[in-house]
Amino acid sequence: MEIIDLVLSDQRTIRELSRQKNFKKRQSVIESVPELKAFDDEMISILSSDLDPIEKNKKLKKLNTKMNEKINELKLSEKIKPSYECEICKDTGYVNGKMCRCLTKKLNEKLFKFGESREIIKNATFKNYNLNLFSDEPIVNEKSLRDFMAEKEKLAMDYAENFSGEGKGLFYFGKSGTGKTFNIGAITNRIIERGFTVIYLTSMELFEVFRYKDTFVDNADDYRAKYTAIKDVELLVIDDLGTEVITPSNLAAFFDLVNYRTALHKPVIYSSNLELTQLSKKYDDRVFSRISGSVEFVEFIGKNLRYIKEI
């Protein structure tokens, strides 16, 4: 069974469990109130009768209206109000014919479950941000590295708190081990906390999707589903851009992805250990110009902190 089918099957189970739970809750209240119980018994009697279907529906509709009026009169509406795992789609998985955010998140979690990259950022939070790791000695215009990193922290926090699902992304660049991935991880985890759909992956994982999505390997359908998710997720995060192997075909796929998301104002956050001049040479002008026009560039400086556990 394909991943999408598994997710949809799980959603059907959730929907059925919600239906059963809400039915039991409603029946429990009805059974405890004689007036409501009488309405319910009459409905059961009508359902089992030999009445003409049209006449039967009329009677049931009339009784249902009376029952709801009695429920409101007795102020029992809140007690029998249905509850759902997702109040937006009522556990159907769809809103106005489009996949609900809850179902999108479940699909993304299944599609990208095996990626090791999420492990890299699982502890990256603003709460764990430790500015004391950085020197307070002035280096540029009386600013210290600690001052620079405090600015980066504020920028990251502002971006995460103001994220709306559209607009510009960020492009973090600078030497390895200077805190880029931690900052990206903190943004990613906070935006996920806020309920948005986010896919975080390395550039090598991304280009692997490009490589296999149009092939006939056994799990090609999963790669195609991944590509669709990558295109449409509210925030896409691509770490370590520049470490992947470039070919004409995957470069074309990368351009299509960047172009698609840019046109729809869907933000992407990138990070790279390469300088901007190196990046502009690695990718052709149309790719880099699309990226440049859709992000704010943020440079990271300082010594390699790769072997320090907290940033």
Side-chain angles (χ1 to χ4, degrees):
M1 186 180 286
E2 295 176 12
I3 287 177
I4 182 64
D5 295 324
L6 287 170
V7 172
L8 291 175
S9 177
D10 289 345
Q11 189 64 36
R12 284 192 291 272
T13 300
I14 290 169
R15 184 165 61 250
E16 178 58 22
L17 289 174
S18 292
R19 189 194 66 78
Q20 293 177 17
K21 177 190 68 177
N22 289 322
F23 176 77
K24 287 179 181 178
K25 181 167 70 171
R26 180 183 175 88
Q27 285 303 111
S28 176
V29 174
I30 288 173
E31 294 286 338
S32 67
V33 180
E35 298 100 316
L36 299 180
K37 179 69 166 58
F39 282 126
D40 195 50
D41 289 342
E42 191 172 352
M43 284 184 179
I44 293 172
S45 176
I46 291 171
L47 282 169
S48 60
S49 71
D50 295 326
L51 286 171
D52 176 78
I54 295 176
E55 185 63 25
K56 186 182 290 189
N57 285 334
K58 282 182 180 179
K59 286 182 174 292
L60 288 172
K61 187 176 180 181
K62 187 176 180 180
L63 270 176
N64 192 56
T65 299
K66 287 183 177 180
M67 179 184 276
N68 287 332
E69 288 173 352
K70 179 58 70 174
I71 287 170
N72 290 330
E73 180 187 323
L74 297 174
K75 298 180 179 180
L76 296 172
S77 298
E78 284 301 312
K79 279 193 174 182
I80 65 170
K81 183 180 179 181
S83 59
Y84 303 93
E85 183 178 287
C86 178
E87 294 294 338
I88 297 172
C89 69
K90 311 302 185 200
D91 292 342
T92 64
Y94 291 87
V95 179
N96 298 325
K98 292 185 178 181
M99 193 177 287
C100 181
R101 184 180 285 168
C102 70
L103 188 55
T104 302
K105 288 175 77 171
K106 289 169 188 171
L107 177 58
N108 291 347
E109 286 168 5
K110 289 277 189 183
L111 285 169
F112 299 93
K113 184 177 180 180
F114 64 84
E116 295 180 359
S117 56
R118 286 298 295 272
E119 287 295 308
I120 298 171
I121 63 165
K122 67 178 182 179
N123 295 319
T125 65
F126 292 114
K127 184 179 178 180
N128 292 337
Y129 211 104
N130 185 4
L131 290 172
N132 291 326
L133 292 172
F134 304 97
S135 171
D136 61 356
E137 293 294 321
I139 51 175
V140 179
N141 297 329
E142 301 302 316
K143 280 187 177 182
S144 66
L145 184 56
R146 190 177 299 173
D147 294 329
F148 276 104
M149 294 308 294
E151 290 176 356
K152 303 300 181 286
E153 180 187 21
K154 184 178 186 308
L155 184 152
M157 290 179 70
D158 288 346
Y159 188 88
E161 294 302 330
N162 294 311
F163 184 81
S164 66
E166 61 180 33
K168 281 203 167 189
L170 298 169
F171 198 118
Y172 285 3
F173 70 99
K175 293 180 180 178
S176 177
T178 51
K180 299 185 299 298
T181 295
F182 189 93
N183 274 261
I184 284 180
I187 292 172
T188 298
N189 289 325
R190 178 58 187 140
I191 289 176
I192 289 172
E193 282 180 1
R194 291 186 57 216
F196 291 95
T197 56
V198 182
I199 292 174
Y200 172 98
L201 71 174
T202 65
S203 65
M204 286 192 287
E205 288 173 326
L206 173 64
F207 277 71
E208 181 180 272
V209 173
F210 294 155
R211 180 182 178 185
Y212 291 113
K213 70 180 180 69
D214 295 322
T215 65
F216 295 98
V217 295
D218 289 342
N219 57 344
D221 285 339
D222 288 345
Y223 281 106
R224 284 188 276 275
K226 282 186 177 187
Y227 183 64
T228 299
I230 287 167
K231 285 175 64 180
D232 294 324
V233 71
E234 289 172 298
L235 175 64
L236 175 62
V237 182
I238 305 172
D239 203 2
D240 274 342
L241 190 67
T243 56
E244 73 287 340
V245 176
I246 294 290
T247 66
S249 61
N250 62 31
L251 184 59
F254 187 39
F255 172 77
D256 288 343
L257 173 65
V258 173
N259 192 51
Y260 176 86
R261 291 190 63 88
T262 300
L264 295 178
H265 307 289
K266 292 177 174 289
V268 182
I269 297 179
Y270 306 86
S271 84
S272 180
N273 296 331
L274 301 180
E275 296 296 327
L276 295 184
T277 51
Q278 294 174 299
L279 287 164
S280 64
K281 290 177 181 177
K282 187 175 179 71
Y283 307 99
D284 65 32
D285 288 341
R286 63 178 192 152
V287 174
F288 196 68
S289 65
R290 283 288 192 284
I291 292 175
S292 300
S294 63
V295 298
E296 175 184 347
F297 286 100
V298 184
E299 184 176 14
F300 277 67
I301 60 175
K303 296 179 180 179
N304 191 322
L305 295 171
R306 187 66 68 196
Y307 299 105
I308 298 179
K309 291 184 179 179
E310 298 181 41
I311 292 179

